[in-house]
Amino acid sequence: MINLDFSQRVVINTQQQPWSPSPAPGVRRKQLEREEAERGRATSIVEYVAGASFKTHQHPLGEEILVLDGVFSDEHGDYPAGTYLRNPPGSAHAPFSREGCRLLVKLHQFRPDDGTSVRVDTHNSEWLPGQGGLEVMPLHSHGTEHVALVKWPTNEVFKPHRHLGGEEIFVLSGEFCDEHGRYPAGTWIRSPHLSTHHPFVEEETIIWVKTGHLPIDR
């Protein structure tokens, strides 16, 4: 098991993390959290070299993907950088990449009643006004779980706040900061239920954020 104590804060600079092989030739990954080998809950950075493919597989409790660069594909379509995907519980596909790609992938983390299939091209979707100078692009909500991109303008400071059900961040560009540290692009942060922080940035920064989704009884 990797990073499955949800009472602990986890920070990983994935740019400094080594790659490990996957069962498919030409596909490698950086494992951020994992329950069991090749099954159960997992969060990873996954890279496909040009022409790599993965055999058909099912998603018993769903698959969530953010395409970081390149073009990711399956039998249902092509998904360029900036695409956000949710494949619901019970879905299946045979993914591949003609030119290569890099992904943030989360497996086996949907609630059983969350059957929504989601396809969002974030490069061609509207930013909405958020608190202060923030701009927000909602991606998905179900129950207490909310997923969005958040754009921070230069020198923005957000109010101190508490994370009911936890918070998970992946820094897409710029540098995210709080009283605990500084997090450059490529950093993954998972903060537990009822944790607090006072975030800010010194340069324009875009983050992927998920809140309200972590177990609260561990």
Side-chain angles (χ1 to χ4, degrees):
M1 295 195 299
I2 301 172
N3 292 328
L4 289 187
D5 182 351
F6 298 109
S7 69
Q8 298 298 309
R9 185 172 184 266
V10 181
V11 178
I12 299 175
N13 183 342
T14 67
Q15 304 283 13
Q16 299 175 352
Q17 187 181 17
W19 292 101
S20 59
S22 82
V27 181
R28 59 181 185 169
R29 59 202 176 186
K30 299 182 178 187
Q31 299 184 48
L32 308 178
E33 58 178 6
R34 175 165 286 278
E35 188 172 356
E36 298 181 52
E38 310 315 323
R39 59 180 295 176
R41 183 188 182 100
T43 299
S44 309
I45 304 297
V46 178
E47 181 182 71
Y48 284 65
V49 302
S53 62
F54 217 99
K55 64 183 181 180
T56 301
H57 58 277
Q58 291 191 326
H59 308 126
L61 276 181
E63 177 184 56
E64 181 178 16
I65 294 172
L66 180 64
V67 183
L68 302 175
D69 59 42
V71 179
F72 178 69
S73 302
D74 61 17
E75 65 269 40
H76 308 297
D78 298 320
Y79 314 106
T83 305
Y84 175 73
L85 308 170
R86 290 180 73 92
N87 298 314
S91 61
H93 68 163
F96 61 93
S97 182
R98 297 182 187 90
E99 66 179 56
C101 64
R102 234 177 6 104
L103 318 168
L104 173 66
V105 180
K106 297 179 68 63
L107 299 172
H108 209 81
Q109 299 178 40
F110 285 32
R111 290 177 171 85
D113 62 343
D114 185 359
T116 304
S117 179
V118 176
R119 304 286 186 269
V120 178
D121 178 359
T122 66
H123 287 170
N124 291 288
S125 297
E126 183 181 7
W127 289 99
L128 305 177
Q131 294 191 37
L134 299 183
E135 295 181 76
V136 179
M137 185 184 298
L139 299 175
H140 181 70
S141 292
H142 181 80
T144 62
E145 177 180 331
H146 303 282
V147 188
L149 298 187
V150 180
K151 184 188 295 185
W152 295 64
T154 300
N155 294 324
E156 182 71 11
V157 179
F158 196 71
K159 62 183 180 181
H161 60 279
R162 185 179 301 274
H163 306 129
L164 183 66
E167 179 185 60
E168 194 170 336
I169 289 173
F170 187 77
V171 183
L172 295 171
S173 65
E175 184 181 59
F176 185 70
C177 309
D178 63 14
E179 68 271 36
H180 307 298
R182 307 176 74 93
Y183 317 105
T187 302
W188 179 72
I189 308 162
R190 193 188 70 203
S191 301
H193 173 56
L194 296 183
S195 58
T196 62
H197 71 158
H198 188 185
F200 63 94
V201 301
E202 295 175 353
E203 60 182 285
E204 183 177 276
T205 297
I206 299 177
I207 60 175
W208 172 93
V209 183
K210 182 195 288 278
T211 59
H213 63 299
L214 293 180
I216 63 176
D217 57 350
R218 300 193 194 183

